[in-house]
């Protein structure tokens, strides 16, 4: 196959050698003319390719620039010859890293005479949330002599703004043990102070501080809430960017957001209120109280534009939320990329306070390594970036 | 559009080629270039745009328009076109004169050839193989024209090349698998601008009448390879001397343990006249010896070389000016560097003019002529020098008896005679003599043994020159070897060296003997120097590295530097004196007396001289009349055409046989599809082709309205079912289609007449699959 592609070049090379031998022994217009006739062929090819490079047009359109990840959107591209000479062979290559085109033409070459065009209607699927170029990536043009080809990146490509995929779940397999906790009437937080006091923890309300005990012990002490059961669910999202290259972070962030939104949507559907904690790209902490679909829609819009930050620090974020704040919830869900010691410590602290923790780790590493961390008070689930949440969640 | 356009383009190409072919045959000249090109282009444009190419008479009218347009442009008389035409028309009517007839003939020829070109293009378009054969044949003819010095016009050659490229391009297009919406002819038509550009590029490409001189490439290659050789040799063989192993010549004056003999050609030389004696080409001279190695301290930039030649000429003229030619003769030598890489110029002694090929400045450094940088392969220089009649009695007498006296008038006369381009005063010469005596005259301290040896060898000779000759002869009696071995480390003075060479190990190669002679010549009171270079046979044209040599030169006032040859093996053959004019005259007289004839030109020798000069141009044959060559060319063209026709017909037969075989092996379904395809093609030939978006039913209804018999298209109904339904072609269906095909053939014959056979062959070979 490779030799076939080089056939014309080999023939040209042989002709060149023969012409060189010819002019070594014979002078005159014809022998030199033959030499230049061979030499000028690649020159002619280059001129032709240069013209095609400047004159070839591709038009492409995506139905709606805002698409949802995983959704097949109508897309078409048109190869157009608006010029006065034939385009011998044009081949296109699509972006494949973060999106793909269904029934892509592949290695097909197109010949376009003046005025001709070739339209290809298909569907485009963006795999991940984000803003990135889609559609035609490169164009390869070949000359009519089969000597030279020129590949170039499309100058006028376009980008798609891809929203995260919203997975609608009826049940969460990972939470079947604790599903009763998600009933609208289940789970309440304690409302009365207990007799027991404990050390002050970051995030504890000032009203809970037991000043007398604090004066006695010399350090701040907080009252333990008792009475009714804790209520409310918190979902914390790790928004740290762990890779610098899009090939590394897009899939990961996409999966985290999907998971986060799938959980949120599930809870909203069950009419279970929850608080969503996350940091934006500038390091500012956000807390969104979601108790209805409009609220969830607002959260979704925020997630669409959410920027993960390379400067972010998960430990810092979770610490800023604090055990004290989280202790007020019945269950806390963590959507993270890495399982660290501080996360383990945090979840243990929550467990001590009777808060159920569920940690979703999105990683491509072996999930078996995380199974020792799971126990009744704390569940750890591992999903890869390629996991189909509809099936595993 | 694609068919017509492509045919027009090919037609234009063929018209140009045919015009020049026919013009060459009939009239011997190329005719009017632009007229034909524009005429053909105009014709092609008309065909293309108007779509009138279907009928031959319309084509002829358009050819006329195009040709007239082209002719008038060529004549360059836009404003006077009518006048010119009218004038010539009148001339034609009144006088039937030549200008008018020529115009008419030219016009008719252009018409005929343009029409022929278009017809040829049409035929070739139908038979692809013929196009390939024609392209190959034309290229072969072009190549053959070079071998037979056939003067092919450049525009024809450019058209041939373009046509060959177009055929190759179409060939490639036919096998290229890609998504297409049109046929290859439309594709090729729209590539025409590039083919026109290609024709122009080829037509105006530069050329030379002589084959390409690869010297620059050769030079580069040589320089690279020699550089590697020098490096390798110097690192591994030359004891740090990078030049010696590669070239034999060294810019250092070392005495090595051994030298190797090599056959690599370092220089090529051409002498003005054959030199029977050895030719010594000096490269570098040295003045100071430390017991193991010669070094050069004399870096004087005075024009020593030229002064040396002047001094000799002056001395000879003073001594015996009337018989100057018995002592010296002018000669020249051109030296070409081959594998040599050096900044030293290798020159014979007594050089007074040097010119180099690159016009580089040359410098004198202590009597040696050098360049600023090393040069290698391809560099050459020419020098004029005095050849010395060494070994002759007369020259020996000059060296023996000449004394120095200043004669300013003679000195000026000698300078004028030599025309060296610079005035030297006699003081310059004196200054030079003083410097030479100072630098080259320092006598070494000889040991008592060496002194005795020298006295034994030279003592009986009264004259200084005779003593030197005796010394030369004595050293030449020692043993020559290329491997004398390493000298003991204790040898560190000239005296030690002389004791070593004379008594301990009296053997060595040229450098050893030259060194010994130089030192002892100085001891005898003569300034002497050690020279390295090459020594070759005078009639040799190649100087090999094994011919590198070292020799001594002794300075004689009034004669300059005179070389000696003390090396065993070289001594005996270094001199080949020529006879003096007096001796020659005496010999002639003797010969005449013996033959008893008076006329000096009747001896065998003189008859030899008077034989016809072989360089006298031989009588040339009559130049052939171009008109006489016309029939021969016509015959050649006819032979070529016959060969092409034979090959073409043979290929056609082969194609037909192959197709027949293929048809016999196809299955029913394929046969059915192909037969249907033929029927569709036949219908298209009679202008009843299937239209786009027309269903088979509609097509059948339309055909019913025509004069085509119904059996010719009865297959359409069942064909529709076979294509869109699930029915499989049966024998019955096939028979029906065949009947339809027969009927359509009959219709075609009725419409096209004898041309129908042509279409049948075309269909047979290029069936269409429906």
């Amino acid at each position: 196959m490779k030799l076939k592609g080089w056939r014309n070049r080999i023939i040209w090379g042989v002709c060149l050698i023969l012409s060189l031998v010819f002019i070594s022994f014979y002078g005159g217009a014809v022998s030199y003319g033959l030499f230049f006739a061979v030499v000028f062929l690649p020159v002619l090819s280059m001129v032709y390719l240069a013209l095609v490079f400047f004159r070839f047009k591709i038009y492409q359109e995506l139905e709606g620039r805002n698409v949802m990840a995983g959704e097949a959107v109508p897309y078409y591209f048109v190869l157009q010859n608006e010029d006065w000479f034939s385009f011998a062979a044009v081949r296109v290559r699509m972006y494949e890293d973060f999106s793909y085109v269904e029934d892509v033409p592949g290695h097909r070459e197109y010949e376009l005479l003046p005025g001709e065009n070739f339209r290809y209607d298909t569907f485009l699927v963006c795999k991940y949330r984000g803003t990135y170029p889609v559609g035609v990536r490169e164009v390869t043009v070949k000359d009519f002599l089969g000597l030279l080809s020129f590949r170039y990146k499309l100058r006028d490509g376009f980008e798609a703004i891809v929203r995260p995929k919203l997975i609608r779940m009826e049940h969460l397999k990972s939470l079947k043990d604790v599903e009763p906790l998600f009933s609208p009437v289940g789970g309440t937080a304690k409302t009365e102070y207990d007799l027991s006091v404990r050390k002050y923890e970051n995030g504890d309300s000032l009203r809970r501080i037991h000043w007398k005990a604090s004066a006695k012990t010399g350090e701040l002490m907080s009252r333990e809430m008792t009475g009714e059961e804790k209520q409310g669910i918190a979902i914390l999202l790790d928004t740290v960017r762990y890779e610098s290259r899009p090939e590394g972070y897009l899939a990961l962030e996409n999966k985290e957001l999907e998971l986060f939104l799938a959980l949120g949507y599930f809870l909203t559907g069950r009419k279970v209120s929850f608080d969503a904690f996350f940091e934006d790209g500038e390091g500012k902490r956000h807390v969104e109280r979601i108790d209805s679909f409009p609220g969830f829609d607002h959260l979704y819009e925020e997630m669409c534009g959410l920027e993960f930050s390379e400067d972010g620090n998960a430990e810092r974020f979770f610490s800023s939320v604090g055990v004290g704040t989280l202790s007020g919830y019945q269950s806390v869900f963590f959507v993270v990329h890495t399982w660290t010691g501080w996360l383990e410590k945090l979840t243990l602290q929550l467990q001590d306070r009777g808060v159920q923790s569920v940690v979703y780790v999105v990683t491509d590493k072996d999930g078996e390594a995380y199974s020792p961390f799971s126990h009744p008070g704390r569940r750890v689930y591992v999903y890869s970036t390629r996991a189909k949440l509809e099936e595993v969640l | 559009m694609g068919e017509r356009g492509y045919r027009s383009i090919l037609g234009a190409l063929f018209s140009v080629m045919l015009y020049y072919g026919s013009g060459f045959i009939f009239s011997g000249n190329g005719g009017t270039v632009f007229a034909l090109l524009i005429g053909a282009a105009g014709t092609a444009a008309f065909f293309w745009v108007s779509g009138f190419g279907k009928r031959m008479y319309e084509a002829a009218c358009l050819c006329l328009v195009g040709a007239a347009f082209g002719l008038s442009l060529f004549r360059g008389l836009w404003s006077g076109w009518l006048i010119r035409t009218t004038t010539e028309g009148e001339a034609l009517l009144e006088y039937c004169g030549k200008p008018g007839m020529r115009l008419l003939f030219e016009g008719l020829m252009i018409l005929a050839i343009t029409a022929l070109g278009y017809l040829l293009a049409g035929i070739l378009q139908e038979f692809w193989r013929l196009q390939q054969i024609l392209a190959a044949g034309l290229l072969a003819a072009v190549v053959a024209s070079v071998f037979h010095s056939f003067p092919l016009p450049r525009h024809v050659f450019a058209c041939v090349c373009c046509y060959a490229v177009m055929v190759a391009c179409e060939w490639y297009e036919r096998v290229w698998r890609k998504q297409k919406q049109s046929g290859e002819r439309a594709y090729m038509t729209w590539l025409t601008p590039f083919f026109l550009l290609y024709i122009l590029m080829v037509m105006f490409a530069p050329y030379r009448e002589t084959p390409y001189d690869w010297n620059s490439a050769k030079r580069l290659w040589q320089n690279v390879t020699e550089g590697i050789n020098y490096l390798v040799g110097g690192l591994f063989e030359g004891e740090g001397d990078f030049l010696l192993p590669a070239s034999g010549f060294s810019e250092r004056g070392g005495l090595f343990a051994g030298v190797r003999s090599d056959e690599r050609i370092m220089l090529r030389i051409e002498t003005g006249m054959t030199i029977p004696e050895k030719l010594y080409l000096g490269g570098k001279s040295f003045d100071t010896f430390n017991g193991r190695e010669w070094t050069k301290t004399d870096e004087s930039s005075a024009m020593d070389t030229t002064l040396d030649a002047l001094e000799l000429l002056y001395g000879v003229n003073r001594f015996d000016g009337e018989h100057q030619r018995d002592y010296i003769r002018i000669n020249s030598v051109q030296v070409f560097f081959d594998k040599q890489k050096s900044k030293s110029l290798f020159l014979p002694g007594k050089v007074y003019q040097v010119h180099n090929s690159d016009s580089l400045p040359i410098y004198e450094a202590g009597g040696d002529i050098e360049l600023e940088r090393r040069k290698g392969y391809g560099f050459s220089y020419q020098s004029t020098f005095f050849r010395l009649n060494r070994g002759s009695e007369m020259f020996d007498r000059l060296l023996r008896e000449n004394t120095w006296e200043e004669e300013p008038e003679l000195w000026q006369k000698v300078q004028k005679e030599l025309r060296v381009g610079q005035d030297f005063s006699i003081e310059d010469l004196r200054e030079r003599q003083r410097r030479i005596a100072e630098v080259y005259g320092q006598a070494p301290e000889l040991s008592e043994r060496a002194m005795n040896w020298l006295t034994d060898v030279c003592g009986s000779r009264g004259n200084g020159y005779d003593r030197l000759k005796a010394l030369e002869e004595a050293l030449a009696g020692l043993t020559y070897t290329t491997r004398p071995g390493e000298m003991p480390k204790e040898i560190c003075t000239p005296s030690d060296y002389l004791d070593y060479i004379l008594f301990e190990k009296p053997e060595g190669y040229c450098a050893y003997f030259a060194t010994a002679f130089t030192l002892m010549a100085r001891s005898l009171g003569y300034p002497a120097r050690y020279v390295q270079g090459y020594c070759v046979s005078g009639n040799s044209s190649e100087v090999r590295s094994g011919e590198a040599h070292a020799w001594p030169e002794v300075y004689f006032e009034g004669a300059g530097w005179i070389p000696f040859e003390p090396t065993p093996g070289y001594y005996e053959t270094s001199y080949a004196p020529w006879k003096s004019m007096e001796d020659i005259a005496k010999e002639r007289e003797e010969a005449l007396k013996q033959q008893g004839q008076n006329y000096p030109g009747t001896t065998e020798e003189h008859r030899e001289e008077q034989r016809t000069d072989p360089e006298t141009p031989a009588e040339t044959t009559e130049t052939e009349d171009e008109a006489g060559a016309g029939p021969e060319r016509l015959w050649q063209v006819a032979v070529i055409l016959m060969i092409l026709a034979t090959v073409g017909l043979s290929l056609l037969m082969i194609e037909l046989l192959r197709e027949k075989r293929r048809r016999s092996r196809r299955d029913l379904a394929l046969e059915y599809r192909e037969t249907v395809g033929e029927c569709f093609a036949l219908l298209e030939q009679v202008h009843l082709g299937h239209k786009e978006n027309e269903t088979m039913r509609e097509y059948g209804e339309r055909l019913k309205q025509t004069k085509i018999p119904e059996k010719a298209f009865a297959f359409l109904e069942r064909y529709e079912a076979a294509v869109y339904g699930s029915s499989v072609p049966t024998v019955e269906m096939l028979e029906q289609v065949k009947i339809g095909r027969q009927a359509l053939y009959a219709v075609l014959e009725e419409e096209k007449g004898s041309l129908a056979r042509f279409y049948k062959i075309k269909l047979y070979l290029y069936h269409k699959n429906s």
Side-chain angles (χ1 to χ4, degrees), chain B residues 576-589:
Chain B
W578 62 82
K579 296 174 187 171
S580 65
M581 301 306 290
E582 203 176 307
D583 290 341
I584 292 172
K586 278 181 190 169
E587 279 177 12
R588 272 197 192 165
E589 238 178 86

Side-chain angles (χ1 to χ4, degrees), chain A residues 4 7-8 20 22-38 40-41 43-44 47-48 51 84-89 108-114 116-118 142-146, chain B residues 139 142-143 145-147 150 152 154 157 161 165 168-169 172-173 175-184 186-191 193-195 197-198 201-202 205-214:
Chain A
K4 195 175 172 186
R7 180 189 58 197
N8 288 13
L20 284 170
F22 210 34
I23 62 169
S24 301
F25 293 97
Y26 294 95
V30 174
S31 61
Y32 280 93
L34 280 170
F35 168 72
F36 281 109
V38 175
F40 284 151
L41 285 176
V43 174
L44 192 68
V47 169
Y48 174 80
L51 278 172
W84 43 267
F85 59 95
S86 307
F87 292 172
R108 199 180 299 166
E109 291 173 323
Y110 302 93
E111 175 189 294
L112 296 166
L113 267 53
E116 282 183 1
N117 63 57
F118 181 82
K142 259 190 190 171
D143 70 304
F144 50 89
L145 294 168
Chain B
L139 273 180
V142 159
V143 172
S145 74
V146 175
F147 295 127
F150 197 80
L152 196 66
R154 292 191 83 182
F157 166 74
C161 282
V165 168
C169 193
Y172 184 50
E173 170 69 8
V175 300
W176 198 346
R177 291 189 183 178
K178 51 183 172 174
Q179 195 86 359
K180 301 180 197 181
Q181 296 180 29
S182 306
E184 52 265 358
Y187 166 79
M188 291 296 295
T189 305
W190 289 110
L191 286 175
F194 297 95
F195 294 126
L197 175 64
Y198 182 66
M201 287 162 75
V202 173
Y207 70 95
R208 295 180 190 183
E209 291 300 334
T210 52
Y212 186 72
D213 180 15
W214 291 97

Side-chain angles (χ1 to χ4, degrees), chain A residues 10-274:
Chain A
I10 291 170
I11 293 170
W12 178 85
V14 169
C15 291
L16 181 68
I17 291 168
L18 289 173
S19 68
L20 284 170
V21 171
F22 210 34
I23 62 169
S24 301
F25 293 97
Y26 294 95
V30 174
S31 61
Y32 280 93
L34 280 170
F35 168 72
F36 281 109
V38 175
V39 165
F40 284 151
L41 285 176
V43 174
L44 192 68
S45 294
M46 280 191 266
V47 169
Y48 174 80
L49 287 176
L51 278 172
V52 174
F53 170 69
F54 285 112
R55 303 293 297 177
F56 177 55
K57 299 276 188 297
I58 292 184
Y59 301 101
Q60 44 182 346
E61 197 56 53
L62 187 64
E63 194 177 285
R65 288 297 174 91
N66 291 311
V67 298
M68 189 178 283
E71 183 188 354
V73 181
Y75 161 80
Y76 73 87
F77 65 85
V78 179
L79 309 178
Q80 180 81 29
N81 183 348
E82 295 172 354
D83 237 290
W84 43 267
F85 59 95
S86 307
F87 292 172
V90 175
R91 190 168 73 213
V92 296
R93 195 177 143 211
M94 320 300 286
Y95 280 104
E96 290 170 347
D97 299 328
F98 313 127
S99 63
Y100 62 90
V101 172
E102 290 181 357
D103 301 325
V104 66
H107 296 291
R108 199 180 299 166
E109 291 173 323
Y110 302 93
E111 175 189 294
L112 296 166
L113 267 53
E116 282 183 1
N117 63 57
F118 181 82
R119 180 176 168 127
Y120 192 79
D121 286 280
T122 180
F123 291 89
L124 184 139
V125 178
C126 297
K127 297 180 200 172
Y128 312 118
R129 179 213 77 132
T131 303
Y132 42 83
V134 296
V136 176
R137 180 190 186 132
E138 283 175 347
V139 178
T140 304
V141 292
K142 259 190 190 171
D143 70 304
F144 50 89
L145 294 168
L147 288 178
L148 301 172
S149 63
F150 176 54
R151 187 166 68 185
Y152 62 94
K153 205 165 174 184
L154 194 66
R155 296 185 297 272
D156 309 322
F158 66 85
E159 289 184 335
I161 302 166
V162 187
R163 302 151 78 84
K165 186 176 175 181
L166 187 59
I167 299 169
R168 295 168 173 82
M169 309 291 299
E170 291 293 324
H171 304 281
L172 285 176
K173 279 186 259 183
S174 56
L175 299 179
K176 58 182 179 183
D177 297 341
V178 297
E179 205 160 326
L181 294 175
F182 301 141
S183 66
V185 297
T188 53
K190 290 186 178 176
T191 54
E192 291 179 10
Y193 289 114
D194 199 349
L195 288 175
S196 62
V197 291
R198 56 169 173 77
K199 277 189 187 169
Y200 172 81
E201 281 163 5
N202 203 12
D204 284 350
S205 170
L206 286 177
R207 291 181 188 170
R208 286 170 61 183
I209 294 176
H210 195 299
W211 295 108
K212 212 170 184 179
S214 302
K216 267 192 183 173
T217 57
E219 54 185 346
L220 283 175
M221 303 297 278
S222 289
R223 296 188 185 83
E224 193 67 58
M225 301 291 285
T226 58
E228 293 176 19
E229 287 297 317
K230 295 182 181 185
Q231 67 175 3
I233 292 168
I235 309 178
L236 284 81
L237 175 64
D238 173 10
T239 57
V240 174
R241 179 161 286 175
Y242 289 93
E243 295 249 5
S244 55
R245 297 175 306 120
E247 293 82 2
Y249 67 70
L250 269 181
L252 170 65
E253 291 171 11
N254 181 69
K255 194 57 61 180
E256 284 187 36
L257 281 170
E258 266 183 27
L259 192 54
F260 180 77
L261 289 169
L263 276 174
Y265 191 83
F266 174 76
L267 293 173
T268 307
R270 287 290 188 97
K271 294 189 174 49
V272 176
S273 305
F274 67 93

Side-chain angles (χ1 to χ4, degrees), chain B residues 393-448:
Chain B
E393 271 293 319
M394 299 185 77
F395 202 89
D396 285 350
R397 202 158 55 85
L398 168 73
L399 297 176
R400 203 178 281 126
E401 299 171 10
N402 195 21
T403 56
W404 174 253
E405 273 184 38
E406 287 183 17
E407 289 183 29
E409 278 181 20
L410 178 61
W411 176 249
Q412 292 303 324
K413 182 191 162 200
V414 153
Q415 284 197 82
K416 275 184 191 164
E417 185 183 326
L418 214 53
R419 288 194 291 251
V420 294
Q422 188 175 342
D423 276 333
F424 294 99
S425 65
I426 210 144
E427 280 72 34
D428 292 330
L429 189 58
R430 265 294 185 204
E431 176 55 37
R432 174 175 176 258
Q433 289 170 348
R434 275 196 292 274
R435 182 169 48 79
I436 287 172
E438 187 184 324
V439 175
Y440 298 94
Q442 291 183 14
E445 243 180 70
L446 298 186
S447 66
E448 197 179 327

Side-chain angles (χ1 to χ4, degrees), chain B residues 247-547:
Chain B
S247 68
F249 168 77
S250 174
E251 287 180 355
R252 288 169 53 191
L255 299 179
F256 302 107
V259 287
R260 68 170 188 198
S261 177
D262 214 316
E263 291 304 300
R264 299 168 79 239
I265 299 172
M266 307 310 297
L267 309 166
R268 291 183 194 277
I269 57 173
E270 283 175 13
T271 52
M273 282 182 281
T274 306
I275 301 173
E277 71 271 16
K278 282 198 161 51
L279 182 65
Y280 286 79
L281 300 169
K284 197 167 176 77
S285 61
F286 301 87
D287 50 70
T288 306
F289 185 66
N290 63 4
R292 303 186 75 85
E293 189 179 14
W294 284 96
T295 53
K296 190 176 181 72
T297 60
D298 180 13
E299 296 291 335
S300 163
S301 59
M303 297 280 285
D304 220 55
T305 316
T306 311
L307 273 170
D308 195 54
L310 276 172
E311 185 173 2
L312 173 68
L313 186 62
Y314 171 78
V316 167
N317 273 277
R318 242 197 92 246
F319 186 72
D320 188 5
E322 279 181 22
H323 301 101
Q324 183 182 301
R325 277 178 59 82
D326 293 339
Y327 298 88
I328 55 176
R329 283 185 185 173
I330 294 174
N331 206 334
S332 65
V333 64
Q334 190 161 14
V335 179
F336 302 87
F337 275 23
D338 195 306
K339 292 185 174 54
Q340 185 70 44
K341 208 170 171 63
S342 172
K343 63 178 185 177
S344 299
L345 296 192
F346 298 90
L347 297 164
K350 310 303 178 191
V351 161
Y352 61 91
Q353 272 180 356
V354 181
H355 302 286
N356 67 83
S357 58
D358 296 348
S359 301
L360 297 171
I362 56 176
Y363 306 95
E364 287 233 24
D368 300 330
I369 294 183
E370 289 181 347
L371 302 163
E372 199 172 10
R373 279 198 306 270
R374 274 190 194 164
K375 297 294 286 184
Y377 176 83
F379 177 69
S380 69
Y381 50 92
Q382 185 167 15
S383 63
T384 313
F385 65 100
F386 288 122
R387 197 176 134 212
L388 308 180
N389 197 2
R390 288 298 309 283
S392 69
E393 271 293 319
M394 299 185 77
F395 202 89
D396 285 350
R397 202 158 55 85
L398 168 73
L399 297 176
R400 203 178 281 126
E401 299 171 10
N402 195 21
T403 56
W404 174 253
E405 273 184 38
E406 287 183 17
E407 289 183 29
E409 278 181 20
L410 178 61
W411 176 249
Q412 292 303 324
K413 182 191 162 200
V414 153
Q415 284 197 82
K416 275 184 191 164
E417 185 183 326
L418 214 53
R419 288 194 291 251
V420 294
Q422 188 175 342
D423 276 333
F424 294 99
S425 65
I426 210 144
E427 280 72 34
D428 292 330
L429 189 58
R430 265 294 185 204
E431 176 55 37
R432 174 175 176 258
Q433 289 170 348
R434 275 196 292 274
R435 182 169 48 79
I436 287 172
E438 187 184 324
V439 175
Y440 298 94
Q442 291 183 14
E445 243 180 70
L446 298 186
S447 66
E448 197 179 327
R449 260 200 317 174
M451 188 65 81
N452 291 338
W453 183 91
L454 190 59
T455 308
D456 288 341
V457 164
C458 311
S460 59
R461 276 34 171 218
N463 185 275
Y465 175 70
D466 292 324
R467 285 200 285 274
L468 288 169
K469 288 295 290 179
L471 174 63
E472 184 188 47
E473 195 178 337
L475 286 173
L478 300 181
T479 307
Y480 181 88
T481 176
T482 55
R483 296 258 165 231
E486 197 74 43
M487 273 199 299
K489 289 187 174 41
E490 300 80 49
I491 296 171
C492 52
T493 63
S495 174
D496 294 340
Y497 171 76
L498 284 172
D499 287 342
Y500 175 76
I501 188 72
L502 292 175
F503 309 114
E504 285 181 46
K505 202 167 184 187
E507 63 180 15
Y509 57 91
C510 52
Y512 282 67
F513 302 104
T515 302
F517 184 96
T518 306
L519 294 172
M520 284 192 277
R522 288 180 181 178
S523 297
L524 290 173
Y526 285 90
R529 66 182 182 180
Y530 170 86
V531 181
Q532 287 184 162
Y534 291 96
C535 172
V536 293
S537 165
N539 56 9
S540 172
S541 62
E542 292 168 350
V543 179
R544 297 175 188 271
S545 61
E547 291 170 312

